[in-house]
Amino acid sequence: MSSSALFADLYEFAMLRAYFELGMNAQATFSLFVRELPPQRNFLIAAGLDDLLHEIEHWRFEPHHIDYLGSLKISSRPFLDWLANFRFSGDIYAMREGAPFFENEPILEVIAPIAEAQLIETLVLNQIGLQTILASKAARVVAAARGASVVDFGARRAQGMDAATKGARAFYIAGVESTSNVAAGQAYGLPVAGTMAHSFVEACASEMDAFRSFSEVFPDTTLLVDTYDTLEGVKKVVALAKARGPNFNIRAVRLDSGDLDMLSRQTRRILDDAGLTDVQIVASGGLEETKIDALTSRGAPIDVFGVGTDMAASSDAPNIDIAYKLTEYAGKGRMKLSAGKRSLPGRKQVFREFRDGVAARDVIAREGETLPGVPLLQPFMLSGRRVAEQSCDLPRIREYAKEQLAALPPHLRMLQSREARYDVAISDALASYERETRAQLID
Amino acid sequence: MSSSALFADLYEFAMLRAYFELGMNAQATFSLFVRELPPQRNFLIAAGLDDLLHEIEHWRFEPHHIDYLGSLKISSRPFLDWLANFRFSGDIYAMREGAPFFENEPILEVIAPIAEAQLIETLVLNQIGLQTILASKAARVVAAARGASVVDFGARRAQGMDAATKGARAFYIAGVESTSNVAAGQAYGLPVAGTMAHSFVEACASEMDAFRSFSEVFPDTTLLVDTYDTLEGVKKVVALAKARGPNFNIRAVRLDSGDLDMLSRQTRRILDDAGLTDVQIVASGGLEETKIDALTSRGAPIDVFGVGTDMAASSDAPNIDIAYKLTEYAGKGRMKLSAGKRSLPGRKQVFREFRDGVAARDVIAREGETLPGVPLLQPFMLSGRRVAEQSCDLPRIREYAKEQLAALPPHLRMLQSREARYDVAISDALASYERETRAQLID
């Protein structure tokens, strides 16, 4: 990933130089967690690990990176020579992508010589943060669709190309069917979808002409019917069906503006009255989970939701309070005491207890403890190499997410803000380790 | 930009195939504008043009792109052969980066054979949208800082690497001093800044030890003082100054948690009492424009604000309602009539009228009209080649933004939501062209 080897805050390089000069190269543990869930989220979904591991495994400083770093006053020749040979040699334990998680739970732990674990901080936060935010948002949209398909239309409204393309992956993990983003289709093998825009209709001599000619090129396409007048547009599709007879193969019509509840019902009636019961209805235009929920709960006859803007940037919760903190160095627990910023010392494990197949509570424990429940942190990288058995096959991740979401208590899966919270406990051993570490620091 | 040649919605490729099959290759005009400003914004700042033009000028489909497109059912061999030779050959007119703009004003117009103008839609929206959202946010943060420096700490919290790196550029245009993002430093020649994190302090035997050793490596660094107890941290800096005497060169202390108003005053007093009047105070931790405004308006003695999360994703307004619409094809005005989605037909110009050096109103006119005021749309690309005279030199863009912001009416520059709006008129010629176009469509 030569293009992103410099994707780090300057202070990481400054600290690396200091560690280098001071001979600080003992093993460190850094822990990645979210301090507080956004008020609009009852849980988050871990995502982004596969892309992150790929970048860490291939992190190399090319000569042009070294030259640039050499131009900054934090550098020295011996330090640059050390960087030129940089390889990540550590271990990474993480929750599987698709796992729902909660406040203060470590979702990823890095155990490596301190400089290595430090250098990757900015990338870890940015990349796991990105896909986690977007998968967590998409899970709500998919839930609101109540079984109707959701298609990602967000590429144009995502915050940059990286967000658009990795977002499409995160959305797919959370249950979205397909994406309009061709780059994401290529990068991740995602199903891609999309047919026509208003510009095509407008460029043709008439709407009827547009429908006729587009469907000659693509007989089983979706026709966009709201360029001028939605219901008139639907009637033109019916006219096309009459003209084409058995050769009519249009799969769907798309409504992109107006009162989608009313228009979808009227459209359904016009289509059904003409015998076009197989023609589906796609709705799009400013949709997000609350609007979709309103439509599906009232039974609007919409088969597919195209969702862009609001999902693309998780607009109601575009950030999470994600932190990557030193928790152990040279065998000793570490933590800060800054106001309102708790971090749990040492290596950890998270156990999820289930009752009758439903997640009942999580316990954050010290690494090495054996407690009831399923341990969520698993090794994904050892000595700088990915663990082969840990599949990052995307359909399997998506299936895992689906199972894990289905196993959450129903009240957590509702869109409304939480009344009852999910119980996350801290093991006795971890609690006393936290007290010991704190006591040593205050001494 | 071989890596982003597929950064387009699938429907762009489907329409391209249809244009290709149907022989539709007349010249089109597409216009980029924002329908409605977010409620929290009184204006937006155009940004992202230079990066966009670079990508458009180098848009090529490599064999692996063609192979991937060939695997999709929208493709045909002759169409893929046509794509393999794709070059953008059109003209692009745009507002200069750094220009404030308002609702419905075209900020960029593309005049090209319809397929070329269509293909770039997703990229134009994504890239101009990204930097415009982020520059517009940063202008508020800079205004709130009332002359104190603002440093971008957002790389870890931006939505992906593209957003983080191009965001740093957009922030700089809007008046931010420097960025912590080293990749952005290299990509755009931006000033980079950053020193130490809590992890360094925690990894050392004690905070005093951390300050001593870090400042041996970097004598004029900034020391982070809130790991355990902020004011105790500041006192250790004073102790270090006494120990070092004339060799003490620490430039600043950084406060990253707690009540920054109170702590900055107490810190200033401790430093001043020790004669360390030159040691500056950097504040960070969850800052955004309203918190910064509260601090600066009360006179908190903070010299530098480090701003991350909230600026990085423009959290209060993470999207803009940006649209790229066909306005002319084969010499005829085009528009859609969909509910609530007005678009102005034809090629256009925006004139900004000034009174006593203050922007008084804008008039959106037809291209070719000569009206009072400064014409804001200028040619940046002609026949697929960048116009050499249009400098995209970043310090000049930043200077232009500063001048243009200073020329806005003061009420628009306030953080509070608008009471008085800025006047954007439509020329008589454009208004009658809109009526004519509409009448033809309704016919």
Side-chain angles (χ1 to χ4, degrees):
Chain A
M1 59 143 234
S2 61
S3 66
S4 48
L6 296 187
F7 192 78
D9 290 302
L10 183 65
Y11 78 3
E12 317 289 7
F13 286 103
M15 288 187 281
L16 256 61
R17 164 107 192 267
Y19 296 140
F20 175 77
E21 301 282 343
L22 302 167
M24 292 172 70
N25 54 14
Q27 188 160 278
T29 298
F30 278 78
S31 198
L32 184 73
F33 59 99
V34 172
R35 283 211 185 85
E36 215 174 334
L37 301 188
Q40 309 85 342
R41 298 289 180 274
N42 298 330
F43 59 86
L44 296 170
I45 296 179
L49 183 63
D50 188 51
D51 288 304
L52 175 70
L53 294 176
H54 178 81
E55 307 243 327
I56 290 173
E57 198 174 28
H58 298 92
W59 198 304
R60 303 285 183 275
F61 292 99
E62 308 288 340
H64 73 99
H65 297 134
I66 298 292
D67 288 349
Y68 176 70
L69 290 169
S71 76
L72 304 178
K73 63 176 207 153
I74 54 140
S75 294
S76 72
R77 196 67 250 168
F79 173 59
L80 294 174
D81 293 341
W82 178 82
L83 277 182
N85 293 308
F86 179 88
R87 301 284 182 279
F88 181 80
S89 71
D91 301 341
I92 296 181
Y93 290 74
M95 288 191 191
R96 289 173 65 181
E97 291 192 82
F101 71 93
F102 304 92
E103 285 171 3
N104 294 315
E105 295 182 345
I107 56 173
L108 180 145
E109 292 200 329
V110 176
I111 302 104
I114 192 165
E116 297 177 26
Q118 185 80 64
L119 177 63
I120 65 175
E121 173 175 35
T122 312
L123 187 75
V124 170
L125 288 163
N126 177 285
Q127 292 285 291
I128 300 290
L130 173 68
Q131 289 199 42
T132 295
I133 288 166
L134 296 180
S136 305
K137 173 70 173 184
R140 294 167 58 81
V141 174
V142 169
R146 291 181 162 82
S149 296
V150 176
V151 182
D152 161 34
F153 281 1
R156 61 189 55 198
R157 294 289 181 84
Q159 290 196 350
M161 290 190 271
D162 194 37
T165 298
K166 293 187 179 136
R169 179 183 184 277
F171 299 151
Y172 182 76
I173 289 174
V176 168
E177 281 300 314
S178 57
T179 178
S180 65
N181 179 347
V182 179
Q186 185 187 33
Y188 298 113
L190 302 175
V192 291
T195 58
M196 76 195 309
H198 298 106
S199 51
F200 183 86
V201 177
E202 293 165 45
C204 290
S206 71
E207 191 175 44
M208 191 68 219
D209 187 53
F211 290 175
R212 201 181 294 120
S213 53
F214 200 77
S215 62
E216 271 160 20
V217 182
F218 302 111
D220 62 349
T221 193
T222 295
L223 294 172
L224 176 62
V225 294
D226 77 323
T227 305
Y228 305 118
D229 178 303
T230 301
L231 299 179
E232 291 302 315
V234 176
K235 288 174 191 162
K236 283 171 191 149
V237 176
V238 169
L240 189 68
K242 288 199 175 124
R244 290 261 166 88
N247 296 320
F248 178 85
N249 235 330
I250 294 301
R251 191 193 312 176
V253 296
R254 178 158 75 97
L255 319 175
D256 188 48
S257 56
D259 178 342
L260 294 172
D261 188 3
M262 189 184 72
L263 288 171
S264 65
R265 291 172 201 276
Q266 293 171 327
T267 297
R268 186 73 271 160
R269 198 169 314 123
I270 294 170
L271 292 171
D272 288 351
D273 287 351
L276 300 176
T277 52
D278 288 349
V279 174
Q280 296 197 318
I281 297 177
V282 181
S284 58
L287 291 174
E288 35 71 15
E289 62 268 37
T290 60
K291 289 184 193 161
I292 292 173
D293 185 59
L295 290 165
T296 56
S297 65
R298 278 183 260 145
I302 294 167
D303 304 285
V304 178
F305 291 97
V307 186
T309 308
D310 189 81
M311 185 167 79
S314 183
S315 302
D316 64 327
N319 302 117
I320 48 175
D321 190 14
I322 191 167
Y324 178 82
K325 291 296 164 193
L326 180 71
T327 64
E328 191 170 277
Y329 179 65
K332 281 178 60 181
R334 313 278 167 156
M335 58 197 288
K336 59 179 181 177
L337 306 173
S338 319
K341 295 193 176 176
R342 182 188 199 181
S343 58
L344 297 165
R347 288 184 59 182
K348 292 172 287 293
Q349 179 56 278
V350 180
F351 293 93
R352 180 159 296 162
E353 299 172 15
F354 291 87
R355 256 172 246 137
D356 303 326
V358 176
R361 72 160 190 164
D362 289 2
V363 180
I364 310 175
R366 294 197 67 178
E367 192 268 338
E369 285 192 84
T370 306
L371 294 177
V374 179
L376 299 181
L377 295 174
Q378 300 294 332
F380 275 84
M381 186 175 272
L382 295 172
S383 303
R385 299 224 156 192
R386 307 212 22 196
V387 177
E389 309 87 77
Q390 295 288 12
S391 163
C392 282
D393 174 64
L394 208 46
R396 273 183 60 186
I397 293 172
R398 187 171 194 257
E399 193 54 35
Y400 175 72
K402 192 176 174 183
E403 286 164 20
Q404 297 302 306
L405 285 168
L408 288 179
H411 69 272
L412 291 182
R413 282 183 276 139
M414 303 199 338
L415 297 183
Q416 291 67 29
S417 65
R418 53 213 151 166
E419 289 153 30
R421 299 284 295 277
Y422 184 75
D423 183 15
V424 178
I426 289 174
S427 77
D428 293 342
L430 181 55
S432 62
Y433 188 51
E434 187 187 9
R435 278 193 301 274
E436 279 167 39
T437 306
R438 182 180 298 270
Q440 282 176 8
L441 287 170
I442 291 171
D443 258 6
Chain B
M1 61 143 230
S2 62
S3 66
S4 47
L6 296 187
F7 193 79
D9 291 301
L10 183 65
Y11 78 3
E12 316 291 6
F13 287 104
M15 288 187 281
L16 257 61
R17 165 106 191 269
Y19 295 139
F20 175 77
E21 301 284 342
L22 302 167
M24 292 172 69
N25 54 14
Q27 188 160 279
T29 298
F30 278 78
S31 197
L32 184 73
F33 59 99
V34 172
R35 282 210 185 86
E36 214 174 334
L37 302 187
Q40 309 86 342
R41 300 287 181 274
N42 299 329
F43 59 87
L44 296 170
I45 296 179
L49 182 64
D50 189 50
D51 288 304
L52 175 71
L53 294 177
H54 179 81
E55 306 243 328
I56 290 173
E57 198 173 27
H58 297 93
W59 198 306
R60 304 286 184 272
F61 293 100
E62 308 289 339
H64 73 100
H65 297 134
I66 298 292
D67 288 349
Y68 176 70
L69 290 169
S71 76
L72 305 178
K73 64 176 205 153
I74 54 139
S75 293
S76 71
R77 195 67 251 167
F79 173 58
L80 294 174
D81 291 343
W82 178 81
L83 277 182
N85 293 308
F86 178 88
R87 301 284 183 279
F88 182 81
S89 70
D91 300 342
I92 296 181
Y93 290 73
M95 288 190 191
R96 290 173 65 180
E97 291 194 81
F101 70 94
F102 304 92
E103 287 170 1
N104 294 316
E105 295 183 345
I107 56 174
L108 180 144
E109 292 200 328
V110 176
I111 302 104
I114 191 165
E116 297 178 25
Q118 185 80 63
L119 177 62
I120 65 175
E121 173 175 34
T122 313
L123 186 76
V124 170
L125 288 163
N126 177 285
Q127 292 285 291
I128 299 291
L130 173 68
Q131 290 199 41
T132 295
I133 288 166
L134 296 179
S136 304
K137 172 71 173 183
R140 293 168 59 83
V141 174
V142 169
R146 290 180 162 82
S149 295
V150 176
V151 182
D152 162 33
F153 281 1
R156 60 189 55 200
R157 294 291 182 83
Q159 292 197 349
M161 292 191 271
D162 194 38
T165 299
K166 292 187 180 136
R169 178 183 185 276
F171 298 150
Y172 182 76
I173 288 173
V176 168
E177 281 300 315
S178 57
T179 179
S180 64
N181 179 349
V182 178
Q186 186 188 32
Y188 298 114
L190 301 174
V192 290
T195 57
M196 75 195 309
H198 298 106
S199 50
F200 184 87
V201 177
E202 293 165 45
C204 290
S206 70
E207 190 175 44
M208 192 67 219
D209 188 52
F211 290 175
R212 202 181 294 118
S213 53
F214 201 78
S215 62
E216 270 160 22
V217 182
F218 302 111
D220 62 349
T221 193
T222 295
L223 294 171
L224 176 62
V225 294
D226 78 324
T227 305
Y228 305 119
D229 179 302
T230 301
L231 299 179
E232 290 304 313
V234 176
K235 287 174 192 163
K236 283 171 192 148
V237 175
V238 170
L240 189 68
K242 290 202 175 121
R244 290 260 166 87
N247 297 319
F248 178 85
N249 236 329
I250 294 300
R251 191 193 312 175
V253 297
R254 178 158 74 96
L255 318 176
D256 188 47
S257 56
D259 178 341
L260 294 171
D261 188 3
M262 189 184 72
L263 289 171
S264 66
R265 291 173 202 276
Q266 292 170 328
T267 297
R268 186 73 271 157
R269 198 167 317 124
I270 294 170
L271 292 172
D272 288 352
D273 287 351
L276 301 176
T277 51
D278 288 348
V279 174
Q280 295 197 319
I281 296 176
V282 181
S284 57
L287 291 173
E288 35 71 16
E289 63 267 37
T290 61
K291 290 184 192 162
I292 292 173
D293 184 60
L295 290 165
T296 56
S297 65
R298 278 183 260 146
I302 294 166
D303 304 284
V304 178
F305 291 97
V307 186
T309 307
D310 189 80
M311 185 167 77
S314 183
S315 302
D316 64 328
N319 303 117
I320 46 176
D321 189 15
I322 191 167
Y324 178 82
K325 293 295 165 193
L326 180 72
T327 63
E328 191 169 276
Y329 179 65
K332 281 179 60 183
R334 312 278 168 156
M335 58 197 287
K336 60 180 181 177
L337 306 173
S338 321
K341 296 192 174 177
R342 182 187 198 182
S343 58
L344 298 164
R347 289 184 59 182
K348 292 174 286 294
Q349 180 57 277
V350 180
F351 293 92
R352 180 158 297 162
E353 298 172 16
F354 291 87
R355 257 174 244 133
D356 303 326
V358 176
R361 72 160 190 166
D362 290 2
V363 180
I364 310 175
R366 294 196 68 178
E367 192 267 340
E369 285 192 82
T370 305
L371 295 177
V374 178
L376 299 181
L377 295 175
Q378 300 293 332
F380 274 84
M381 185 175 274
L382 294 172
S383 303
R385 299 226 158 189
R386 302 195 47 178
V387 177
E389 309 87 79
Q390 294 289 11
S391 164
C392 282
D393 175 64
L394 209 46
R396 272 184 60 187
I397 293 173
R398 188 171 194 257
E399 193 54 35
Y400 175 72
K402 192 176 176 182
E403 286 164 20
Q404 296 303 307
L405 285 168
L408 288 179
H411 69 272
L412 291 182
R413 281 184 276 138
M414 303 199 338
L415 297 184
Q416 291 67 31
S417 64
R418 52 212 152 166
E419 287 152 32
R421 299 285 293 277
Y422 184 76
D423 183 15
V424 178
I426 289 175
S427 76
D428 293 342
L430 180 56
S432 61
Y433 188 51
E434 188 188 8
R435 278 193 301 274
E436 279 167 40
T437 305
R438 182 180 297 271
Q440 282 176 6
L441 287 170
I442 291 171
D443 259 6

